[in-house]
């Protein structure tokens, strides 16, 4: 499973697929706030489709949304004594039938060469496998519930370092690469 918490000083909460740090705040993007313990804040964020990052301070969990790449959320942090800030990371899984890794709540921020087709999310990995096995033309893919399209990236020009925060947390991204 990929760990996007590799940036210095970030801790990984595997149970809630989140990265967190002590004594920090992430400015802007406030959605709502709820009373909670610090330990529950990442779970509360994970359970809210409008949240992808959070701050816990003085018994309150501040749910936030930043429609930017994970690296940008990490870089928007500010020092704040006694606060805990964090961001959600995709839950990556291995699909042995199609030999692909996939995650929910991510997409690749990209342009350039790509192909797309309408279909349900389960077909996206299958289509990528077919293109890879037949033409060596799929390395990564994503599916959005907003338009129902699967987009495949036919070259290996993209990396997990550009995994971005999607406009919808049910967006799926995947890769044939083991990471």
């Amino acid at each position: 499973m990929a760990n996007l918490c590799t940036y210095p000083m970030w801790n990984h909460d595997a149970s809630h697929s989140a990265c967190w740090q002590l004594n920090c705040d992430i400015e802007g993007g406030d959605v709502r706030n709820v009373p909670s313990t610090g330990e529950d804040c990442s779970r509360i964020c994970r359970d809210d489709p409008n949240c992808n990052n959070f701050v816990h301070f003085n018994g309150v969990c501040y749910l936030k949304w930043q429609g930017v790449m994970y690296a940008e959320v990490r870089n928007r942090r500010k020092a704040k004594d006694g606060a805990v800030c964090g961001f959600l990371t995709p839950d990556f899984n291995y699909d042995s039938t199609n030999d692909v890794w996939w995650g929910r709540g991510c997409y690749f921020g990209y342009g350039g060469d790509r192909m797309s087709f309408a279909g349900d999310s389960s077909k996206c990995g299958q289509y990528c496998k077919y293109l890879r096995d037949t033409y060596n033309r799929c390395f990564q893919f994503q599916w959005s519930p907003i338009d129902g399209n699967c987009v495949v990236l036919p070259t290996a020009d993209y990396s997990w370092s550009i995994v971005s925060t999607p406009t919808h947390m049910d967006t799926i991204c995947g890769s044939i690469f083991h990471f």
Side-chain angles (χ1 to χ4, degrees):
M1 196 146 88
N3 178 358
L4 298 178
C5 304
T6 55
Y7 194 77
M9 301 182 297
W10 287 94
N11 301 289
H12 185 223
D13 175 1
S15 64
H16 299 124
S17 299
C19 302
W20 60 273
Q21 189 178 92
L22 295 173
N23 299 316
C24 70
D25 187 12
I26 300 172
E27 295 182 340
D30 289 26
V31 174
R32 66 185 177 100
N33 61 71
V34 295
S36 80
T37 65
E39 294 78 16
D40 284 340
C41 196
S42 62
R43 179 194 52 78
I44 293 168
C45 183
R46 169 74 57 199
D47 291 345
D48 187 319
N50 297 310
C51 182
N52 64 8
N53 61 98
F54 55 89
V55 173
H56 185 269
F57 185 66
N58 287 341
V60 178
C61 181
Y62 297 88
L63 305 179
K64 297 170 173 274
W65 177 267
Q66 305 282 348
V68 296
M69 294 174 68
Y70 292 105
E72 292 176 41
V73 171
R74 292 188 304 233
N75 294 333
R76 288 184 182 197
R77 74 188 187 292
K78 305 289 182 199
K80 184 170 186 169
D81 287 339
V84 174
C85 70
F87 59 94
L88 300 180
T89 62
D91 290 322
F92 290 104
N93 301 283
Y94 181 66
D95 172 359
S96 60
T97 302
N98 296 307
D99 192 27
V100 296
W101 286 90
W102 64 275
R104 184 176 306 279
C106 61
Y107 76 86
F108 295 99
Y110 61 82
D113 193 17
R114 61 183 186 216
M115 299 176 283
S116 68
F117 70 95
D120 65 59
S121 61
S122 66
K123 303 283 189 230
C124 215
Q126 293 171 0
Y127 187 60
C128 187
K129 179 180 177 3
Y130 168 78
L131 290 174
R132 179 192 63 216
D133 293 349
T134 307
Y135 305 105
N136 198 31
R137 293 289 292 163
C138 183
F139 293 89
Q140 292 166 320
F141 60 90
Q142 71 186 36
W143 177 86
S144 170
I146 295 171
D147 60 13
N149 282 335
C150 176
V151 177
V152 295
L153 288 77
T155 62
D157 295 338
Y158 309 95
S159 73
W160 289 109
S161 65
I162 60 166
V163 170
S164 299
T165 300
T167 55
H168 193 286
M169 288 306 287
D170 283 334
T171 299
I172 293 172
C173 68
S175 173
I176 66 165
F177 301 115
H178 185 291
F179 46 109

